[in-house]
Amino acid sequence: MLNYLSHLYLPGAMTLWCAFVFAAASLVGYADVLSGRNGSLQFARRSYGFFAVSILLTGLLLILLLMLRDYRIEYVFQYSGNDLPTHYQFASFWAGQKGSFLIWLIWGSLLGLLVQRAAGPSKTEAAVMSVYTMTVVALLLILIRENPFKMLPQTPGDGQGLNPLLQDNWMVIHPPIMFIGYAAAAIPFAFAMASLWRRDYDNWAVRAFPFALGGFLVLGCAILMGGYWAYKTLGWGGFWGWDPVENASLIPWIFGTVLIHGLYLERTRGRYRRANYVLAALVYISVLYGTFLTRSGVLADFSVHSFVDLGISGWLTLLLTGFILLSVVLIAMRWKEIPTAPNEDPFLSRGTFLVLSTITLVVAGLVIAAGTSAPLLTRFMENPGQVGPSFYNQVNLPIALLIALLLSMVPFLTWKGETGERKVKVVGHGFLGVLYSIVAALWRGEGPPDLLWKLGGPAVFALAVTIGAAVWKVHQPFHLLFIFLASLALATNAYKTVLKYRAGGLRGAGGYLAHVGVGVILLGIIASSGYDESTKVTLEMGVPRQVGDATLTFTRMVPRRGFDKEGMEIAVLRNGKRFTVTPKMFMNDRTRQLMVNPDIKSSPLADFYVSPIEFDPGQSALQLAKGNSGQIGNVTVRFTGFDLQAEGNAMAQMAAGKPVVIGANLEVTRDGKTIQLKPLYQLNPGTGDVSSVPASLPGGGALAVSGIDASNGAVRLTAVGIQTPARLSIDVTHKPLIALVWGGLWIVLIGGLMSTINRLRESRLRDRLAAAKGV
């Protein structure tokens, strides 16, 4: 133990160990409460409060050491440097594994204080907090094992710096928000496991729902930021590459989406109870599984985001296995006891369509999880590998079609399936049987006229959008169907949002508004990803070049100023409007790694996306072998051979130790005229001095011999007064309607926020009523 502590910065090590002691004390106190000793409740709460304070002090201490650039600490040395600006120095807190686990733990400990207040009666709080504290202690044990305050034997003068790819303003805010979402995933899990543990199946869903909704909201916001970060920084023109680490955040968000719909069904209809226990466990376990994939090193060869293995893969496996076993055992033991209402909803009802929607999302999450796990599943094969983006695109297209269809119908369906005066009598089983029954009923005039009437207006809107897309450039049938259904989902949910607003303000409209956002996102994805146009072109400085409907002129190099890196200014004339873009291409000072950043001119209809590929600063020198030609600016030079008799016999002079003069016979072509030139090269064998006599060019400038490669019979020429213009190779991409992706995500998040606020109001009202009744 003493040897362990001798290598650690003691203030940081002690705060972590204090946190562990306080967490253990809190667990003991809550165990007493569960045993019937309610007097221990305050002790358990205070112990947890001290635990949270200890974790917060640990984080503040690491921030202080980073800002002071205390390179005695290994973590500070690894992820910071003297040249980093203050905000990047601050962001280096979560640049490495240890820091990211610590920020996750900080948010988890603080959220636990909210869970205490929302858990309910003392024994319910004790059970919920016992499970929840175990989830944060699991993170704490990782940090105790891989302590971020490990010290180096000697203090370096500078750190290794922050990874160049992470030196972006989004690095300051994106990861912390992501880890709030990860931390929040443990809260519904704790409520669900505590409910099973205590056999209290009635209240957990109501109390967990705001946290599930909030976690969905925060994690979705982080995914939005991450996608935009990749789009504006990496230069490949996309916002989602189906990278395994990207998927590791998407999978729990998808399962979280299913969970909030399941909890909604349980609250309103008393159904879906068993499934909600499974879903609450699935959300949290998917976070742990994604953490294992990201941080165990199994994806090191397959993902640009993956961390190297710190030696914690075994511990992560143990944690993942432990929480899976806890979930499986409790759910299996209580499965038959869980009360649930039988599903008697007719096919054309809101309940049935919500269930179908959630099943579809679960399938999507499982498919993405399977694809993400490919490197792990094939690890022991001869050629391990991963699935490419085409796999996810092909598999998720029909899933997206089905989701859009279901979303478009739900707003006009009731819980009892009453869509008009007449109902469809279902004949047969399965989807095909239902579909046949609906078509047959419509043919006989027995269909649901009210539903069809309500769908008429949105269907006209969707048809108009689809026709517009077909006129534009969309001709694939599946894509046209995709656009029609996405537009229909957008229109029906927008209509319902307006009705809800007119009926009672924004209360209750959040869910429908979020579904409007889904329709907008689907339209943005199909337009920007399926119908973008990319052109690779090389621009010569000062020379206009037509690229599609735009004229591009590479005007100048923009020098480095402070922390703003050097870039290339390109003037653009497009549709009568002039603007400039300045993509960046620079060499990282520490790693000597070439970095590129695109520049984007955004508009509501399309983004004009310019990413640099290669830069040639131009040249003023050539090396030519006999008979070869080269170009310098507008001058073509052909080397025909050496003249050893330019000023006497060069060989005889060299043998006598006298200065040697050699001429280079050149054929020079400029402006269509060819002349002969002979620049001279003089070498003094005695002193080793060299000099040259340039030959003047017609039209200005001169050519001089700067060196001779005797072994290859080649001459090196330097131009004076002329130079090849700089050239810039770029990728110009037209991204139609990509603003719909970002706008749709914001609509989803705003709708989720509205729902969260509404549920919190309901929760406070419920607690007040319960307090008034003395419950």
Side-chain angles (χ1 to χ4, degrees), residues 662 664 666 677-682 691-697 701-706 717-721:
I662 301 173
L666 306 177
L677 290 182
K678 188 185 294 184
L680 303 179
Y681 183 78
Q682 181 174 299
S691 62
S692 62
V693 179
S696 297
L697 289 165
L703 290 175
V705 178
S706 57
L717 302 172
T718 300
V720 180

Side-chain angles (χ1 to χ4, degrees), residues 310-321:
L310 278 183
I312 61 173
S313 56
W315 182 246
L316 289 173
T317 304
L318 180 62
L319 292 179
L320 179 62
T321 304

Side-chain angles (χ1 to χ4, degrees), residues 23-24 48 103 152 252 332 374 381 432 441 445 458 464 569 622 670 757:
Y48 185 87
I103 191 66
L152 295 170
M381 296 182 180
L432 291 178
E569 184 180 84
L622 285 174
R670 191 178 201 181
I757 294 172

Side-chain angles (χ1 to χ4, degrees), residues 565-584:
K565 305 302 183 183
E566 54 264 37
M568 299 82 174
E569 184 180 84
I570 302 172
V572 182
L573 174 61
R574 186 166 182 254
N575 298 328
K577 296 181 180 180
R578 297 181 182 274
F579 57 90
T580 61
V581 291
T582 311
K584 293 180 173 60

Side-chain angles (χ1 to χ4, degrees), residues 628-640:
N628 289 347
S629 299
Q631 188 86 18
I632 300 179
N634 62 346
V635 178
T636 302
V637 182
R638 182 172 180 268
F639 174 49
T640 60

Side-chain angles (χ1 to χ4, degrees), residues 30-368:
Y30 280 125
D32 280 349
V33 174
L34 290 170
S35 300
R37 293 186 285 272
N38 287 334
S40 298
L41 183 62
Q42 287 302 318
F43 171 79
R45 288 175 174 175
R46 289 171 181 168
S47 296
Y48 185 87
F50 284 124
F51 158 76
V53 169
S54 298
I55 295 300
L56 189 59
L57 287 175
T58 304
L60 292 174
L61 181 59
L62 183 57
I63 289 175
L64 179 63
L65 293 171
L66 284 164
M67 301 310 290
L68 292 175
R69 293 174 168 84
D70 190 341
Y71 299 125
R72 294 177 299 166
I73 311 302
E74 182 183 55
Y75 189 83
V76 178
F77 167 73
Q78 289 175 334
Y79 297 103
S80 66
N82 294 336
D83 59 338
L84 285 181
T86 302
H87 61 298
Y88 290 160
Q89 189 73 15
F90 180 81
S92 60
F93 182 106
W94 41 80
Q97 289 218 48
K98 298 174 184 179
S100 58
F101 275 120
L102 181 54
I103 191 66
W104 185 352
L105 182 57
I106 289 172
W107 294 132
S109 63
L110 295 178
L111 286 173
L113 299 174
L114 299 178
V115 175
Q116 280 183 334
R117 296 173 59 87
S122 58
K123 287 194 175 182
T124 302
E125 178 188 334
V128 171
M129 286 303 297
S130 295
V131 177
Y132 184 77
T133 304
M134 285 192 292
T135 66
V136 290
V137 167
L139 297 175
L140 176 60
L141 291 175
I142 292 176
L143 285 173
I144 290 176
R145 185 184 185 279
E146 297 295 332
N147 200 296
F149 298 97
K150 182 179 178 181
M151 298 182 69
L152 295 170
Q154 295 180 338
T155 304
D158 193 4
Q160 293 179 338
L162 187 64
N163 186 324
L165 293 174
L166 300 180
Q167 293 185 31
D168 188 271
N169 292 336
W170 287 105
M171 176 63 183
V172 181
I173 56 175
H174 164 64
I177 294 177
M178 179 73 73
F179 286 111
I180 295 176
Y182 283 176
I187 300 177
F189 173 79
F191 275 102
M193 295 304 105
S195 168
L196 294 170
W197 180 6
R198 298 191 64 246
R199 290 185 166 91
D200 181 8
Y201 307 113
D202 294 328
N203 298 314
W204 82 272
V206 174
R207 297 186 181 277
F209 187 67
F211 292 103
L213 203 53
F216 158 83
L217 179 70
V218 173
L219 193 56
C221 184
I223 291 173
L224 167 64
M225 291 179 177
Y228 188 72
W229 180 5
Y231 177 67
K232 71 172 283 291
T233 302
L234 297 182
W236 58 280
F239 51 84
W240 197 263
W242 295 110
D243 182 271
V245 178
E246 293 176 340
N247 296 347
S249 61
L250 179 64
I251 295 167
W253 188 70
I254 291 176
F255 290 148
T257 305
V258 180
L259 175 63
I260 60 177
H261 286 83
L263 293 175
Y264 173 74
L265 281 174
E266 180 170 342
R267 290 174 60 255
T268 56
R269 311 300 295 172
R271 297 174 185 167
Y272 227 58
R273 291 193 173 198
R274 291 173 177 169
N276 283 335
Y277 287 108
V278 176
L279 289 170
L282 198 57
V283 172
Y284 180 60
I285 288 170
S286 66
V287 169
L288 293 181
Y289 181 63
T291 304
F292 167 74
L293 287 180
T294 307
R295 300 167 189 275
S296 64
V298 298
L299 300 181
D301 296 329
F302 302 98
S303 172
V304 297
H305 301 88
S306 181
F307 291 92
V308 297
D309 186 10
L310 278 183
I312 61 173
S313 56
W315 182 246
L316 289 173
T317 304
L318 180 62
L319 292 179
L320 179 62
T321 304
F323 284 111
I324 289 176
L325 288 176
L326 174 65
S327 307
V328 171
V329 169
L330 283 175
I331 292 174
M333 289 176 60
R334 304 288 193 257
W335 185 263
K336 293 183 179 179
E337 300 178 11
I338 300 172
T340 184
N343 188 1
E344 298 177 349
D345 294 337
F347 178 76
L348 289 176
S349 67
R350 180 173 299 177
T352 299
F353 271 56
L354 279 174
V355 171
L356 289 175
S357 300
T358 56
I359 292 174
T360 304
L361 283 172
V362 168
V363 171
L366 293 175
V367 167
I368 296 172

Side-chain angles (χ1 to χ4, degrees), residues 495-567:
Y495 175 73
K496 196 70 173 182
T497 301
V498 173
L499 290 182
K500 284 284 185 179
Y501 174 76
R502 289 178 176 176
L506 293 176
R507 285 190 59 186
Y512 293 109
L513 183 61
H515 292 167
V516 170
V518 173
V520 174
I521 291 171
L522 293 177
L523 290 174
I525 289 175
I526 193 67
S528 63
S529 300
Y531 295 91
D532 56 344
E533 297 176 349
S534 181
T535 304
K536 292 179 174 60
V537 64
T538 299
L539 303 178
E540 185 175 296
M541 184 176 284
V543 179
R545 182 76 181 270
Q546 191 72 24
V547 181
D549 60 351
T551 302
L552 280 65
T553 306
F554 176 25
T555 55
R556 67 186 181 104
M557 289 292 300
V558 179
R560 181 179 301 198
R561 292 175 182 163
F563 296 113
D564 193 13
K565 305 302 183 183
E566 54 264 37

